[in-house]
Amino acid sequence: MKRIGTPLDPNSLPYQSALDASQSSLRKLAALAEETKLGGGKKNIEKQHEKGKLTARERIEKLIDPGSEFVEVGLFAAHGMYEEEGGAVSAGVVVGIGRVSGRLTVIVANDATVKAGAWFPMTAKKNLRAQEISIENHLPIIYLVDSAGVYLPMQDKIFPDKEHFGRIFRNNAVMSSKGIVQLAAIMGPCVAGGAYLPIMSDEALIVEKTGHVFLAGSALVEAAIGEKTDNEALGGARVHSEISGVTDYKMPNDDACLAELRSIMSKLGRGTHDHFDRIEPAQPLYPADDLLSVVPQDRTKPYDMYEVIARLVDGSEIDEYKADYGKTIITAYARIDGWSVGIVANQRAVVKNAKGEMQFGGVIYSDSADKAARFIMNCNQKHIPLVFLQDVTGFMVGSRSEHGGIIKDGAKMVSAVSNSVVPKFTFIVGNSNGAGNYAMCGKAYDPRLIYSWPTSQISVMGGAQASKTLLSIKLASMKKTGGSISDEDQKKMLAEIQKRYDDQTGPLYAASRLWVDGIIDPRETRTIVSTGIAMADHVPEISKFNVGVIQT
């Protein structure tokens, strides 16, 4: 193994400047996170308490093991969306992975402070993401149900399609057939099609007086068949625990319900399968705070990705694969929190190839793509999880690259990523542009978890290039109709286009649409990787890796 990284001077001006910028970004992010975690706001939280109910986050806090981590997925989902409807903070549902009675578990909790927990399109997407994580990693899943059902004004965008509301219940059945434990607690309304979710789970608990489950509420029943009743008599805890037999446990309150869930979870059989190698963890040689200054805020500036890796891997040590070949991608075996991993990272420093030619950092050349494809196949052969560190501006273009077969070599890499069967974890450190996003295991390539750093940007191409392209298209269109525009107005138009484009490429835009699972402090990266591999270790059997035709 070789030791990498160099000490940074925390008192230097570049260090302090980068640190200040990172801390400013993180403060803004933390403030937005705290606001988001309030859900529908303090008044709606008070109303929830007045009904004798805990909030979604309070329920999760009592459910998970004291002092344990909760890795949240989709905190900023739906941010800035549905504004005409008054918004849907965090898509009205809290999702994440936590330990319940020592067992890593996916938790889904409806937030009734947000539109009574109604389902928006992003709510469905977020729930499906939770089930996807559960299925991929064979993790138990607990649903804390408190929802008024589909948000009717948007029913056409959530009800009938393949990845809409009904897919949730289809997944319930598929997960059951795979032996994945599903527990549901009915802690509030559970209406119409949504009633199937807890009842298609293995076991269902219901809280007295606040929990109700029915295909149609009392008002709809009266309108449909003329029967007068109330929700408690129609589908309350006594009805379903004593008469219909729909639910399995009747609980007096939220606290008792959560305690019972913990008790049930404590009696599950052993779930880990020890596929992946782990030894006693070691800390990197360099402080994690350095991660806030290593990556420049200006995404066009080069930097040395080895310095990032040195602050993520145990002992700052790696076994580098093909160190002197394809230098714009770093491929290396290492350990993170004791776990054996294969790292695929874009080198952002300008490098020289074997011919002494300069190669741009962050660009994937033919030799880099070839090396990465081979390394990914090796990790699959050895059952080593993959960690992708993305800061990629795309594949190299131009006649020389085309003649050298960049498309062929790029296809090899994309194919290797696509067919990879070991767990993959992706962190978007900086740029994530064009086909580089695909080759470096973007969302479409099934990473088990994918998170952005605050310095990230996802787009087809960089903002400067894109805005100039869009401006030229607009000017050409104006020219065809006989229009013209002054140089000053062109500059103003370019600035407006670039701002709009930049707003759509930032990490918050990506997180709001679940292109990534969230935005993290770079110092949390090791924890995310470690939790991710621990949950992947629950899969009963690893599929065999098949290289596919394109690799031959």
Side-chain angles (χ1 to χ4, degrees):
M1 299 187 79
K2 72 174 181 180
R3 191 161 285 175
I4 58 171
T6 54
L8 302 179
D9 180 4
N11 298 313
S12 69
L13 184 59
Y15 187 105
Q16 285 296 321
S17 177
L19 182 64
D20 288 347
S22 290
Q23 288 177 333
S24 176
S25 295
L26 289 172
R27 280 194 296 270
K28 291 175 184 175
L29 192 66
L32 181 59
E34 286 306 307
E35 182 184 345
T36 302
K37 288 177 182 178
L38 288 174
K42 292 182 180 179
K43 286 186 178 179
N44 285 328
I45 290 172
E46 288 171 7
K47 288 179 183 177
Q48 185 90 337
H49 290 162
E50 287 167 5
K51 295 175 184 176
K53 296 160 66 176
L54 299 170
T55 66
R57 292 186 180 278
E58 288 168 342
R59 287 166 176 167
I60 290 172
E61 187 65 27
K62 287 176 178 279
L63 179 63
I64 63 175
D65 296 350
S68 65
E69 291 275 350
F70 179 67
V71 177
E72 187 157 356
V73 172
L75 171 63
F76 298 118
H79 176 80
M81 300 172 70
Y82 314 127
E83 291 182 351
E84 291 183 3
E85 310 295 332
V89 180
S90 208
V93 61
V94 183
V95 168
I97 304 111
R99 288 196 178 272
V100 180
S101 299
R103 291 292 300 270
L104 275 172
T105 306
V106 177
I107 301 168
V108 181
N110 297 115
D111 187 348
T113 70
V114 179
K115 297 286 193 299
W119 285 60
F120 285 73
M122 285 302 299
T123 315
K125 188 171 183 178
K126 193 168 173 179
N127 274 265
L128 287 169
R129 177 65 179 135
Q131 290 183 322
E132 180 182 44
I133 292 170
S134 174
I135 292 168
E136 284 181 332
N137 300 287
H138 212 84
L139 287 183
I141 186 167
I142 294 176
Y143 308 98
L144 305 179
V145 185
D146 191 348
S147 171
V150 167
Y151 184 69
L152 287 177
M154 301 188 78
Q155 63 87 27
D156 62 315
K157 296 177 178 65
I158 187 174
F159 168 66
D161 210 346
K162 181 178 178 180
E163 300 297 330
H164 282 179
F165 195 50
R167 189 76 173 182
I168 306 289
F169 318 129
R170 175 265 185 194
N171 284 354
N172 285 141
V174 169
M175 292 162 74
S176 181
S177 73
K178 291 178 180 291
I180 296 170
V181 173
Q182 299 177 84
L183 302 178
I186 301 164
M187 311 179 85
C190 186
V191 184
Y196 288 104
L197 186 147
I199 309 311
M200 291 186 74
S201 299
D202 300 323
E203 296 180 87
L205 299 77
I206 187 168
V207 178
E208 292 182 283
K209 297 180 182 178
T210 58
H212 301 100
V213 56
F214 31 62
L215 293 180
S218 54
L220 183 55
V221 166
E222 184 174 357
I225 63 173
E227 179 186 350
K228 292 187 177 182
T229 183
D230 60 53
N231 287 344
E232 186 67 22
L234 186 64
R238 190 188 73 82
V239 168
H240 287 310
S241 297
E242 300 176 23
I243 301 171
S244 73
V246 165
T247 55
D248 308 303
Y249 304 85
K250 181 172 66 176
M251 296 288 112
N253 52 49
D254 279 12
D255 284 303
C257 184
L258 296 166
E260 184 64 23
L261 282 168
R262 287 183 52 79
S263 182
I264 293 169
M265 287 293 293
S266 72
K267 297 170 180 66
L268 298 188
R270 185 173 179 274
T272 55
H273 294 275
D274 298 325
H275 297 300
F276 309 112
D277 185 68
R278 192 183 195 189
I279 62 172
E280 187 67 28
Q283 289 298 315
L285 294 180
Y286 309 101
D289 286 351
D290 285 355
L291 292 170
L292 303 185
S293 64
V294 171
V295 180
Q297 295 290 316
D298 183 347
R299 298 180 185 94
T300 64
K301 287 186 177 179
Y303 64 91
D304 191 350
M305 184 61 84
Y306 285 104
E307 297 296 348
V308 173
I309 297 170
R311 285 150 180 86
L312 295 177
V313 302
D314 293 10
S316 301
E317 292 180 328
I318 62 173
D319 291 305
E320 188 167 6
Y321 175 79
K322 291 186 180 291
D324 299 318
Y325 177 71
K327 291 183 179 180
T328 63
I329 288 184
I330 299 167
T331 50
Y333 302 105
R335 289 190 182 273
I336 293 180
D337 199 32
W339 293 104
S340 171
V341 297
I343 294 173
V344 181
N346 301 112
Q347 172 57 296
R348 285 289 279 115
V350 177
V351 297
K352 283 185 180 181
N353 64 15
K355 298 176 182 177
E357 300 165 330
M358 303 302 292
Q359 292 185 327
F360 299 106
V363 177
I364 302 176
Y365 291 77
S366 283
D367 53 358
S368 304
D370 175 66
K371 176 174 81 169
R374 291 167 184 261
F375 181 74
I376 290 165
M377 288 190 285
N378 287 347
C379 286
N380 275 270
Q381 291 291 88
K382 299 172 183 176
H383 299 303
I384 298 173
L386 286 158
V387 176
F388 291 83
L389 301 176
Q390 280 198 19
D391 194 342
V392 57
T393 53
F395 285 88
M396 191 60 190
V397 296
S399 59
R400 186 173 179 179
S401 292
E402 298 295 354
H403 297 172
I406 185 66
I407 295 175
K408 169 177 61 69
D409 291 317
K412 284 182 186 177
M413 185 176 175
V414 170
S415 182
V417 173
S418 302
N419 289 315
S420 180
V421 295
V422 296
K424 304 186 293 281
F425 304 94
T426 301
F427 297 90
I428 303 175
V429 174
N431 299 296
S432 180
N433 296 152
N437 171 280
Y438 303 158
M440 290 295 294
C441 197
K443 183 66 182 289
Y445 291 79
D446 297 326
R448 298 291 176 102
L449 294 171
I450 176 170
Y451 283 89
S452 280
W453 286 13
T455 43
S456 70
Q457 173 182 283
I458 302 175
S459 60
V460 171
M461 63 178 77
Q465 303 96 310
S467 1
K468 287 175 184 175
T469 303
L470 291 168
L471 178 63
S472 64
I473 292 169
K474 196 161 188 175
L475 292 175
S477 177
M478 290 175 66
K479 191 175 180 181
K480 283 181 182 178
T481 57
S484 63
I485 185 170
S486 69
D487 289 345
E488 188 178 334
D489 285 342
Q490 279 190 41
K491 288 179 183 178
K492 186 178 178 182
M493 189 181 292
L494 180 64
E496 289 173 354
I497 291 171
Q498 181 149 358
K499 183 183 183 306
R500 186 168 64 250
Y501 190 87
D502 288 344
D503 287 344
Q504 293 177 353
T505 61
L508 191 55
Y509 193 90
S512 69
R513 286 150 181 81
L514 282 179
W515 299 348
V516 295
D517 291 320
I519 311 168
I520 60 167
D521 184 321
R523 295 169 292 190
E524 297 172 334
T525 305
R526 277 173 57 88
T527 298
I528 300 287
V529 172
S530 184
T531 301
I533 300 176
M535 70 185 192
D537 226 20
H538 287 72
V539 178
E541 185 177 330
I542 297 178
S543 303
K544 186 178 178 182
F545 180 66
N546 189 330
V547 295
V549 173
I550 202 165
Q551 299 292 347
T552 59

